Amino acid sequence: MAAARAVGVNDERVLAAIAAVPRADFVPAEWSQRADVDAPIPISHRQVTTQPSLVARMVEALALTGDERVLEIGTGYGWQTALLARLAREVFTVERFADLAETARTALAGHDKVTVVVGDGSEGLAQHAPFDAILVAAAFPIVPTPLAEQLAEGGRLVQPIGHGGDEDVVLFQKRRGTLRQVRRISGAHFVRLHGRYGFG
């Protein structure tokens, strides 16, 4: 929580969620002793978990009040998912790798508001749309068309914009049916978004 405050996060609901959800429960066992360090942690398939302070800034930017349906792209081990579940009414999360999704399901067993789906995150989840907020934890130069379409009017979307490895995390909002950039949240280093509407 200190790392989140240090980078300017002041949403008390977000800070309370971070305090209530131990990151150590959502990292590989061999890394649990370093779970409180504000740094990415490697997981399988050459993926990494996002550092806590950046997760906090991205989640805060969604401005969740508790009644939203949220779509998350890139479940990983599920810590960010768990935070979203404490802040929203319902969370759908899409993970590309089946083994990561299963690990996340186990870690998220106590969160009944979460649905973990194995699939192509760039396609979103049309069958559960619209979503009040979408958080993408992988980089692509533009917001994939299906995600923009599945965001509800007035909804917020956060995504790293770039080619992977050096990008800007950007907040968008849907206004009059069009996705509009609101502000840059942070620079970052994310893995690429792969899929039909992402990198091949």
Side-chain angles (χ1 to χ4, degrees), residues 90-110:
E90 192 172 14
V91 179
F92 294 87
T93 181
V94 183
E95 173 52 54
R96 179 183 173 207
F97 299 106
D99 57 333
L100 287 182
E102 191 55 38
T103 298
R105 283 192 191 100
T106 300
L108 291 162

Side-chain angles (χ1 to χ4, degrees), residues 39-125:
I41 288 177
I43 56 178
S44 58
H45 301 287
R46 297 183 180 179
Q47 308 291 298
V48 294
T49 64
T50 308
Q51 66 195 70
S53 61
L54 182 52
V55 169
R57 293 176 76 179
M58 293 171 71
V59 170
E60 182 183 50
L62 295 176
L64 300 173
T65 62
D67 195 40
E68 297 85 0
R69 300 175 77 247
V70 179
L71 174 63
E72 177 189 43
I73 307 302
T75 316
Y77 269 42
W79 184 64
Q80 181 175 268
T81 318
L83 298 182
L84 293 170
R86 294 186 71 89
L87 297 166
R89 173 165 54 93
E90 192 172 14
V91 179
F92 294 87
T93 181
V94 183
E95 173 52 54
R96 179 183 173 207
F97 299 106
D99 57 333
L100 287 182
E102 191 55 38
T103 298
R105 283 192 191 100
T106 300
L108 291 162
H111 298 270
D112 56 1
K113 298 188 292 183
V114 175
T115 301
V116 180
V117 178
V118 178
D120 179 350
S122 74
E123 295 183 338
L125 287 174

